[in-house]
Structures are given as C-alpha cells and as structure tokens.
Amino acid sequence: FVGQGPHLHIVITTLRCNQSCKYCHASRTTMDRVDTDMTIETATKVVEHAMQTTSPYVNFEFQGGEPTINMDVLKHIVEYSRELNKTMGKDLDHSLVTNMTYMKEDVAEWLVDNDIWVCTSLDGTEEVHNFNRTWTKSQNAYASVLKWIKHFNNLYIERGYDPDLYHVDALMTTTKKTLEHWKDIVHLYLDLNIRNI
C-alpha cells in the first residue's frame, strides 16, 4: 500500500441541499448559499491533483450537499479527468451519491450516457425514509427516490446495459426508527433488486 496512492477522491461540489435530514453530518447549507459551490477553477485543480496519484485506478465520487445542484462543475470534472486520462491511461470511474429529490430528466440522461455510477439514500419504508430525510410538507422524498431508482434502472436496460452490473445502489442510514422496521427495509431492498445494504 505504501507504493500505491489513493484511488477514491470524494468531491464536494456544493454544500447546498434541498433536504434537511435529521442526521445530516455534511455541514449542509440552504439553497441560496451559492457561495458554497465549487468553482470551475477549483474543480480543475482538484482533477489535476487527484490524477497525480500513483494508483492505477481513480474514482471521482461526487457528494454534497446535493452534488447535482452544481452540474456544471460535476460535468467539468468528468470531462477534464477523461481528457487528462488520454495520456495517463488510468482505470477511471466516476460515481454520484444523490438524494434523488433534485433529479431532472436531462441530468439522469447525461449521467447514464456518461457511465456515472449512481447511488442514492434510501433509509427504508416510506414512514422511515420521510421521517429521517425531511423535504417539504407537500413533497414525498420516498416517492421521489423510488421513482428515480426505477427510472435509472429502466434507462440502463433501454441502453442495453447488463442490469446485474448497471443499477442504482442505495445507502441506508440506521436510526432508532430503523430498528422497529428492519424486516420491511430488507424486503424493500429485495423488491427493488438492490444488491446490498
């Protein structure tokens, strides 16, 4: 391990988020705090620094806040790292951790067309997820997540990708609320064909 540098580079494209999750540890800010967005100039430096690793494999993982709020920077990092990699020849991947409540059709299409691995937060059943991951009173975060998981998985199939390899993965944060619904959560993940919890 001494001779091989880091391979996972977590990039926080913004601290802005459209949700107010009870357990958030990400120093999230409100949607009007554009001063927390990463700039193109900083993104360029991030890519140049990360690509210097001695690791033959590099993964840029986009997090936040909600990283899709700053799509210009996310796209720049993907495109610029691929451009640099033409001469570096690393095994290069890009992945996204998104809450799926800020997702838009054109963003989903771009992510699938550009081979970005997608992961979302899914804390369990509607009751558990909406309790943990506050959105607005008139909007249902759980319904949005399920809608977009299914949409992405259908896009992969439409594009001819192997669904055993290309599918949305999910992360679950365990809280006290989880414990009384653990069996329902396991069944939900199985029903959605999510391979791991």
Side-chain angles (χ1 to χ4, degrees):
F1 72 93
V2 174
Q4 182 168 304
H7 68 274
L8 177 62
H9 302 274
I10 295 175
V11 182
I12 309 298
T13 62
T14 184
L15 292 179
R16 292 191 289 154
C17 189
N18 61 321
Q19 288 192 282
S20 299
C21 302
K22 287 180 171 49
Y23 50 69
C24 184
H25 64 280
S27 303
R28 70 163 295 278
T29 61
T30 56
M31 292 294 284
D32 60 341
R33 288 287 310 276
V34 295
D35 60 302
T36 69
D37 289 1
M38 181 180 283
T39 64
I40 294 289
E41 294 75 23
T42 298
T44 298
K45 290 177 184 176
V46 165
V47 172
E48 290 170 351
H49 181 73
M51 293 296 284
Q52 291 178 39
T53 181
T54 55
S55 173
Y57 172 68
V58 174
N59 182 0
F60 288 93
E61 181 177 292
F62 303 105
Q63 294 188 19
E66 170 50 42
T68 59
I69 290 169
N70 195 357
M71 277 305 292
D72 289 344
V73 160
L74 194 152
K75 287 179 180 180
H76 174 73
I77 290 171
V78 170
E79 291 160 4
Y80 187 48
S81 62
R82 286 179 176 164
E83 185 61 34
L84 288 183
N85 201 42
K86 288 177 182 176
T87 57
M88 294 180 162
K90 295 184 183 288
D91 185 8
L92 181 63
D93 276 330
H94 300 88
S95 55
L96 169 72
V97 179
T98 173
N99 66 31
M100 290 289 196
T101 62
Y102 196 78
M103 190 57 60
K104 296 172 177 54
E105 179 63 38
D106 61 321
V107 171
E109 298 259 347
W110 187 89
L111 292 167
V112 170
D113 290 343
N114 284 275
D115 294 322
I116 312 300
W117 298 99
V118 178
C119 184
T120 191
S121 299
L122 181 59
D123 285 356
T125 60
E126 185 170 11
E127 178 185 349
V128 176
H129 187 83
N130 288 342
F131 175 82
N132 286 342
R133 303 186 61 81
T134 311
W135 196 7
T136 67
K137 290 183 179 174
S138 63
Q139 295 172 301
N140 185 326
Y142 173 83
S144 182
V145 172
L146 260 57
K147 170 191 150 188
W148 285 108
I149 287 175
K150 291 172 183 174
H151 184 75
F152 271 95
N153 290 341
N154 286 335
L155 279 177
Y156 291 129
I157 291 168
E158 286 172 15
R159 302 278 198 291
Y161 292 113
D162 180 349
D164 287 332
L165 298 175
Y166 291 87
H167 54 269
V168 174
D169 275 324
L171 301 169
M172 182 193 74
T173 300
T174 303
T175 64
K176 286 181 188 177
K177 190 85 170 162
T178 309
L179 302 179
E180 59 194 86
H181 298 277
W182 68 270
K183 194 176 281 189
D184 296 330
I185 293 168
V186 170
H187 287 293
L188 171 66
Y189 269 59
L190 288 171
D191 290 345
L192 292 172
N193 207 22
I194 293 172
R195 273 84 172 159
N196 52 62
I197 297 180

